Amino acid sequence: MTTTPTKKGSAAVQARRVLVLNSGSSSVKYQLLDMNDRSRLAIGLVERIGEATSRLLHTPLTGGDAETRERTGRIADHAAALQAAAEELAADGLGLDSPELAAIGHRVVHGGLRFTEPTVVTDEVLKEIERLVPVAPLHNPANITGIRTAQALRPDLPQVAVFDTAFHTTMPEYVARYAIDVETADAHRIRRYGFHGTSHAYVSRKAAELLGRAPEEVNVIVLHLGNGASASAVAGGRCVETSMGLTPLEGLVMGTRSGDIDPAVTFHLKRVAGMSTDEIDVLLNKKSGLVGLCGDNDMREIRRRIDEGDERAALAFDIYVHRLKKYIGAYSAVLGRVDAVVFTAGVGENSAPVREAAIAGLEELGLVVDAGLNAVRSGEPRLISPNYARVAVAVVPTDEELEIADQTFALVGRAESAGQEMPVGQVDN
C-alpha cells in the first residue's frame, strides 16, 4: 500500500459526508452521516462474517419511516462485508463512490501512547497499529482489516483512525504506571491505557453542556455501563483517571469480564486447577462478570430474576453495584470537587435500578437520585437528581459514532483550511 496526497480543494475535502466503520473480528458496524447537520443517512451491521449464516441489516434514514432491509447468506470476509454494505448504500442513492463523501472514520481500539488524537492513516500509522496487536489481540487486527478494506474500496479518500485510548492519554504518569519493574514495563508497553475513550469524551462534554457550563469548568465522573463497562474521572475536559488498564479487563464488573481481581488468582488457577494461560484468559474475559456470577449478562433478565426471588441474581447485582460505588467514591477523592456523576451506555442509560442502587448511601458526597426523574425513560440527556443536590446526577446517551464522525470531519476540515494535502491510501497490486 502506498499513500498519495489529495489535491488541495478536491471534491473529497469539500464534501460533507463521513462514513464511520467499526470493524470487529466477525462484524462490521457502519453509519453514514451528513455533517451539515450531523444527521444519519443510513446505519447498518454485518455480522457473523465468514460463517454460513452471515447477516446484513441495513436501515436508510433519508426519508419517511426507517425500514430495515435484511440480507442473509455467507459473507466470506471483511472485504465482501464492506462491498455488500456499499451495495445497500448505493441502492438508496448513497453510494460510496459519491463525491459528497469526505472521509472514512475508523474506530481503532488501541493507539498506545503515540496516538493522542484522530490520525490520518498512512503506511507508518498502520505499522504502528500492527505493533500494538500484542496489547489488543482481539481488536486491533479487526480494525486493521477494516481500514485496508476501505482503502481498497476508496483509495482516493482520507482514512482517519479515531482511537479508544486517545482520550485517556492525558492521565498523569503516576496514574498510568503500574507498580512493577520499570524496565520490564517499558520493554513490553505495560501501563494503563484505558478504553471507551470516544464515549467518555462525548459524554463528559455533553454533561457540561447539560449543566450550562464549559467543559473546562466541570469535573465529571462518567460511568459507561454496557456489556463492557468503564469509569473515568474527567477534570476540566481532560481524563485524569479511568478504570480499564492495559486491556479492557481491569475495573468494573462487566457482562462477561471479572474486572478488578487479585493477579495471584491467575497463578493459583494455573498451579492448583491446572488451567492453561489461554483457559484463564477465556475464564476472566468471557466466563466471568455477571454471566459468571449468575449465568446472565443481560441486566433486564437479572432484574426479572431478582423480582422472582433468585438469590444468585441478587448477589450478582449487589457485587456489580458495590464495585460502582467504590469507583464513584475513589474518583470523588481523585477529583476533589465533583460537579456531576453521569450514567451512559446500555445499562447506564436504561437501568433505573442500577442508577438508584449505585447512588444510594452516597448522600455525604452530595449525591441524591430523585425516584420520579430516575424512572423516566428518554433518549435525551437529562438530570435525575433533585434541584437541591450538591452534585448533579445525569443520564447522557452516548454516541460514539457521532464522536468519530465529528473528529474525522474536523481533522479533514482543519487540513483543508490550512491548505494541507491529506494523505490517502492506495493498495498496491
Side-chain angles (χ1 to χ4, degrees):
M1 192 271 287
T2 58
T3 55
T4 56
T6 60
K7 301 294 184 182
K8 179 182 174 182
S10 70
V13 292
Q14 291 176 348
R16 307 289 297 182
R17 292 178 182 172
V18 172
L19 176 67
V20 174
L21 293 179
N22 182 352
S23 299
S25 58
S26 61
S27 67
V28 174
K29 297 177 183 177
Y30 62 92
Q31 294 193 9
L32 182 65
L33 295 94
D34 183 342
M35 303 312 294
N36 284 303
D37 57 5
R38 300 166 78 235
S39 64
R40 285 166 174 77
L41 302 175
I43 61 176
L45 166 67
V46 187
E47 58 185 354
R48 300 194 291 270
I49 296 171
E51 299 180 18
T53 56
S54 305
R55 181 173 70 158
L56 185 153
L57 298 173
H58 175 87
T59 307
L61 303 171
T62 51
D65 296 331
E67 183 174 342
T68 300
R69 299 195 298 268
E70 181 176 353
R71 182 193 296 197
T72 58
R74 187 170 190 271
I75 297 176
D77 52 28
H78 284 71
L82 194 52
Q83 183 59 49
E87 291 169 3
E88 294 295 331
L89 288 165
D92 302 316
L94 302 170
L96 298 190
D97 57 351
S98 169
E100 296 182 69
L101 189 60
I104 299 177
H106 299 265
R107 180 199 180 206
V108 178
V109 168
H110 216 308
L113 292 179
R114 173 173 172 181
F115 300 114
T116 62
E117 56 188 16
T119 304
V120 177
V121 177
T122 63
D123 289 341
E124 183 53 40
V125 168
L126 264 182
K127 289 176 183 176
E128 181 62 21
I129 296 172
E130 289 173 340
R131 282 194 284 267
L132 288 164
V133 165
V135 290
L138 299 179
H139 297 96
N140 274 30
N143 302 152
I144 292 166
T145 298
I147 291 170
R148 291 194 183 281
T149 301
Q151 286 176 325
L153 194 63
R154 280 300 304 267
D156 58 312
L157 279 186
Q159 310 284 332
V160 176
V162 178
F163 299 90
D164 273 13
T165 50
F167 183 64
H168 304 303
T169 57
T170 56
M171 290 190 298
E173 188 69 4
Y174 61 80
V175 174
R177 281 274 181 187
Y178 288 112
I180 66 172
D181 174 67
V182 171
E183 292 183 0
T184 301
D186 289 348
H188 301 285
R189 305 187 185 207
I190 300 172
R191 60 186 293 116
R192 301 183 65 245
Y193 293 100
F195 299 90
H196 295 144
T198 52
S199 177
H200 287 282
Y202 177 86
V203 169
S204 59
R205 193 171 62 249
K206 279 291 183 180
E209 184 180 306
L210 184 64
L211 298 177
R213 298 167 67 181
E216 296 77 15
E217 301 173 351
V218 176
N219 289 355
V220 181
I221 297 172
V222 177
L223 302 172
H224 176 108
L225 308 179
N227 193 49
S230 60
S232 68
V234 183
R238 294 168 60 86
C239 177
V240 296
E241 247 286 19
T242 193
S243 58
M244 287 179 168
L246 173 71
T247 75
L249 180 59
E250 186 180 356
L252 302 176
V253 175
M254 306 176 219
T256 66
R257 299 180 191 136
S258 65
D260 293 337
I261 192 169
D262 181 350
V265 169
T266 59
F267 313 145
H268 181 79
L269 290 172
K270 189 172 182 65
R271 292 167 182 158
V272 176
M275 296 178 66
S276 68
T277 301
D278 288 345
E279 287 172 331
I280 297 170
D281 191 328
V282 170
L283 172 69
L284 296 181
N285 278 290
K286 298 182 179 180
K287 296 181 178 180
S288 296
L290 292 172
V291 78
L293 289 167
C294 70
D296 273 309
N297 63 336
D298 187 323
M299 188 58 71
R300 294 165 296 187
E301 181 63 16
I302 291 171
R303 290 301 309 177
R304 184 193 66 76
R305 288 171 55 184
I306 291 172
D307 291 341
E308 294 178 353
D310 189 311
E311 293 183 1
R312 281 188 64 190
L315 178 60
F317 184 84
D318 289 345
I319 293 171
Y320 183 93
V321 168
H322 178 70
R323 190 76 56 84
L324 280 175
K325 284 181 181 288
K326 284 177 64 176
Y327 271 90
I328 293 170
Y331 286 1
S332 295
V334 166
L335 290 171
R337 186 198 83 244
V338 179
D339 298 296
V341 173
V342 190
F343 292 87
T344 193
V347 175
E349 294 169 27
N350 296 299
S351 180
V354 166
R355 297 191 297 260
E356 179 183 9
I359 299 300
L362 301 181
E363 291 82 6
E364 289 298 316
L365 297 179
L367 292 162
V368 185
V369 165
D370 180 283
L373 294 175
N374 189 36
V376 173
R377 295 185 66 86
S378 171
E380 297 298 319
R382 60 198 185 278
L383 294 175
I384 60 172
S385 51
N387 291 333
Y388 64 79
R390 190 169 78 248
V391 178
V393 182
V395 180
V396 175
T398 191
D399 197 334
E400 294 173 89
E401 289 77 16
L402 179 58
E403 180 71 12
I404 292 170
D406 279 340
Q407 292 191 30
T408 297
F409 193 67
L411 178 59
V412 173
R414 285 196 299 271
E416 179 185 14
S417 297
Q420 298 173 348
E421 293 183 339
M422 296 287 288
V424 295
Q426 190 168 24
V427 177
D428 291 327
N429 292 322

